[in-house]
Amino acid sequence: VGRLEKLLQQRQAEQEAAAARAPRPRTGRDLSASLGDMAPEDMPPGLRLPEEYIVGMGGVWRDRYGDGDTDLICRRPLFVAAIAEDMDCAGQSLDVRWHDGRRWCRRWLPRGTALVAHRLADEAQRGMPVTSGSAKDIVAWLDAFLAENPMPERRTSATLGWRGDSFLWGREVIGGERIELAQEEEGIARLAAGYRAAGTWEGWLEAIRPVSRLPRVYLALLASMVPPLYRFLDDAPGFCLDLAAKTSGGKTTALRVAASVWGLPQDSGEGLIRTWDSSTTGIERLAAFSNHLPLLLDDTRRVALENQHHLQQTVYAVSQGQGRMRGTITGLQKQAAWRTVMISTGEDRLVDLLRAGGAAARLLCLWGSPFGEAQQALVDGLRVQLLQHHGHLGPRLIRHLQGEHQGEVVRGIYRHWLHRWQEKAGGNQVAARGAGYLALLSTAQEIGEQLGLPKPLIDPMGEALAALGIAQEEAALEVKALRLTWEWAVAHSEGFLGREVKDREYNGRPPAGGWLGRWEEGEMWTY
């Protein structure tokens, strides 16, 4: 009997403790008051709780009958903070917030995901406090919360760059209306975080001052400034700038200079530099997300030999500004599109790795170390300085382009340079296309100098013209084939009748495999 009484007392104490912890229906229905001091700092004011629901830091409960007998439907506080209309006409999205026990988390979810139970349950793998069992009740809670709180619609975008008169630079909007980035995937979120400023404008100018005497590095900087100009230049061509040199030639540091125009110049973490070790689809999605911002890819050696065709597909896709057309069960997927410039590095020239002359016509290949010989101290110092000072020129460029009548000014500058470079190209089609690349770089240089960019001590357009010459030569496949044939014939000249090996009596000996052809000794060809 004594043991039984002791067990009954223990059970009663447990029930009293559980009752003390249980939520009580509140007289107020203000969400901020329910969360108390733990409410998010940026939570919109005036959010109200539906009649049947109770929210606290312990979760969300439903009092179905109003008698205080509550059912726990979510073990963490969870609610909708905003509704947004996607600028690409992808429908509405909901700004869903929840507390994971340490901090407030946030994710933009399509309305069709947040309010459909089996789709919402899939968000469990991203940390949302939902299960296949609780999803139906949480959907009912979100639906009731939205009915209780009519919210003004915001504007969201799944891509960066120009959005009307505004420019989405990472998670920050430059000018125009308020827009929020709706991409929450981990890889995209890291990349978006890399678009930011650090240090000072003066510090960055001091860091890149040596670049004014390094034309290849200067061209990489100018190419990084080109993508935002495409907004005003519908007919301007896309292209790729290729920095090729032996290992430890400063290629990646030149890529860091280009990245520092817009943000963190790193090739890891939140840095803006990515590697070629990606699928074609992955690079297409990266280009679509980074619209009107440069695409920076390091080290073509990361592409396996059996995937060399991936290089050609990427060069074509980036320069054309659209991804592959892909089908669905019911029709076609929306085709990704972008306007950008790709800046690539590698130990081999891209023109030597590509299998089509048309792809070579879309390249400007800069062969050789961007920093010249014996410049290791400069490379190391520049890398350190750029990590301290970056992300200043890009926003200055955007604010300049947002000025009144700047669209007409940019078009005028581009047309001037395009006419000048086309005159030098003459009737060559490849050179005429390349004149557009040079005109874009010249336009970027002219605008950059207006913004305070140091003038180059060595004209970088000399290097650009040399690169254009390589593109012309490599794009003419029939000339390349004739050159290879000639080189092969010279290397095997002993197999031709008239140039055969002779014995001591000067009698010719036919080769083991038979004669390759006739080629008289001393014969000279005029063409």
Side-chain angles (χ1 to χ4, degrees):
V1 172
R3 287 197 299 272
L4 182 58
E5 289 178 347
K6 188 174 181 179
L7 286 172
L8 289 173
Q9 291 173 358
Q10 184 178 351
R11 175 63 59 82
Q12 184 178 359
E14 291 175 353
Q15 291 175 345
E16 291 175 354
R21 292 194 302 269
R24 293 286 188 269
R26 300 179 183 273
T27 56
R29 294 169 57 194
D30 183 81
L31 177 60
S32 179
S34 299
L35 297 175
D37 295 338
M38 298 297 291
E41 295 181 0
D42 61 343
M43 187 175 74
L47 294 180
R48 305 277 294 170
L49 295 175
E51 188 69 37
E52 299 179 359
Y53 290 91
I54 300 168
V55 176
M57 291 306 298
V60 181
W61 293 264
R62 186 176 185 182
D63 185 357
R64 296 178 184 273
Y65 306 107
D67 57 1
D69 186 12
T70 58
D71 298 323
L72 180 65
I73 65 171
C74 184
R75 297 183 180 276
R76 300 289 184 190
L78 181 147
F79 64 95
V80 176
I83 299 177
E85 188 75 25
D86 187 81
M87 298 189 70
D88 295 312
C89 301
Q92 286 187 335
S93 298
L94 306 182
D95 181 7
V96 181
R97 308 284 185 95
W98 72 90
H99 199 278
D100 66 355
R102 298 169 299 166
R103 57 186 175 85
W104 283 99
C105 303
R106 175 189 189 186
R107 179 161 292 119
W108 282 100
L109 293 180
R111 192 182 186 103
T113 297
L115 299 181
V116 177
H118 70 274
R119 293 181 181 176
L120 184 64
D122 291 338
E123 295 300 314
Q125 62 182 345
R126 299 184 180 182
M128 186 173 289
V130 59
T131 66
S132 57
S134 66
K136 184 177 180 181
D137 289 330
I138 294 178
V139 165
W141 149 244
L142 294 177
D143 183 52
F145 187 83
L146 291 173
E148 184 71 25
N149 298 278
M151 303 177 190
E153 290 183 3
R154 299 183 183 178
R155 303 268 277 173
T156 60
S157 173
T159 63
L160 302 181
W162 289 108
R163 312 301 294 166
D165 292 330
S166 305
F167 192 93
L168 192 55
W169 174 51
R171 297 193 177 276
E172 182 178 335
V173 181
I174 303 175
E177 63 177 318
R178 180 182 178 185
I179 304 171
E180 295 191 40
L181 183 65
Q183 290 275 16
E184 296 295 340
E185 288 85 355
E186 183 179 353
I188 292 295
R190 280 207 313 270
L191 180 62
Y195 291 100
R196 62 175 187 258
T200 64
W201 164 249
E202 293 75 18
W204 183 80
L205 287 177
E206 185 62 29
I208 60 103
R209 199 166 298 281
V211 172
S212 60
R213 62 176 184 271
L214 301 169
R216 294 168 190 160
V217 185
Y218 201 94
L219 281 175
L221 190 155
L222 294 180
S224 185
M225 296 173 59
V226 167
L229 304 181
Y230 282 123
R231 182 198 179 193
F232 311 106
L233 306 171
D234 294 334
D235 58 339
F239 69 98
C240 305
L241 186 72
D242 180 33
L243 300 170
K246 62 182 181 180
T247 185
S248 301
K251 304 180 298 295
T252 302
T253 302
L255 207 58
R256 293 179 194 274
V257 172
S260 71
V261 172
W262 297 102
L264 183 61
Q266 283 190 167
D267 52 1
S268 61
E270 297 177 349
L272 303 185
I273 300 174
R274 293 293 180 264
T275 71
W276 272 100
D277 188 16
S278 306
S279 66
T280 304
T281 301
I283 293 180
E284 285 182 5
R285 291 179 178 174
L286 179 61
F289 171 71
S290 306
N291 191 25
H292 296 126
L293 289 163
L295 182 62
L296 309 171
L297 298 178
D298 190 28
D299 196 1
T300 53
R301 285 286 179 94
R302 299 289 294 272
V303 180
L305 290 176
E306 62 271 18
N307 295 327
Q308 292 291 302
H309 64 282
H310 163 56
L311 298 169
Q312 178 181 322
Q313 293 174 356
T314 301
V315 169
Y316 268 108
V318 170
S319 60
Q320 291 174 346
Q322 61 183 12
R324 296 179 63 188
M325 185 178 294
R326 295 179 173 88
T328 64
I329 296 177
T330 58
L332 295 174
Q333 290 183 4
K334 180 180 178 181
Q335 198 169 7
W338 53 82
R339 298 297 303 277
T340 188
V341 170
M342 182 175 76
I343 308 175
S344 167
T345 69
E347 294 185 26
D348 303 300
R349 300 186 310 171
L350 268 176
V351 292
D352 296 328
L353 300 175
L354 301 179
R355 301 178 181 178
R362 291 160 171 81
L363 291 169
L364 285 179
C365 289
L366 305 177
W367 172 253
S369 172
F371 289 87
E373 300 297 330
Q375 296 284 351
Q376 192 60 44
L378 173 60
V379 170
D380 293 340
L382 189 58
R383 185 187 305 120
V384 173
Q385 288 179 295
L386 291 179
L387 287 176
Q388 297 173 351
H389 305 278
H390 54 258
H392 296 282
L393 178 58
R396 282 175 176 254
L397 172 63
I398 298 304
R399 295 187 184 97
H400 176 78
L401 296 177
Q402 288 172 335
E404 191 174 1
H405 305 305
Q406 279 302 312
E408 283 298 323
V409 173
V410 171
R411 282 188 284 270
I413 296 173
Y414 175 73
R415 283 193 294 266
H416 164 75
W417 286 109
L418 181 62
H419 178 70
R420 178 171 176 178
W421 293 119
Q422 282 178 339
E423 285 185 336
K424 289 194 174 184
N428 186 289
Q429 292 183 353
V430 176
R433 179 184 178 90
Y437 312 155
L438 302 189
L440 286 166
L441 293 169
S442 298
T443 303
Q445 180 179 347
E446 186 168 331
I447 296 175
E449 291 176 0
Q450 294 176 17
L451 298 176
L453 192 67
K455 292 185 178 182
L457 301 179
I458 301 175
D459 185 12
M461 290 305 151
E463 290 285 344
L465 276 173
L468 183 58
I470 293 174
Q472 291 178 241
E473 185 177 339
E474 296 295 334
L477 289 181
E478 69 280 5
V479 177
K480 187 175 182 180
L482 181 59
R483 186 192 318 114
L484 292 174
T485 304
W486 164 257
E487 292 172 354
W488 177 86
V490 171
H492 299 81
S493 60
E494 295 175 352
F496 289 89
L497 182 61
R499 294 175 180 253
E500 70 274 13
V501 176
K502 295 180 174 58
D503 56 22
R504 293 181 179 179
E505 286 76 26
Y506 294 98
N507 297 317
R509 293 182 302 173
W515 297 108
L516 299 176
R518 185 180 184 89
W519 186 4
E520 295 295 341
E521 184 71 36
E523 184 176 1
M524 300 298 292
W525 299 341
T526 57
Y527 61 91

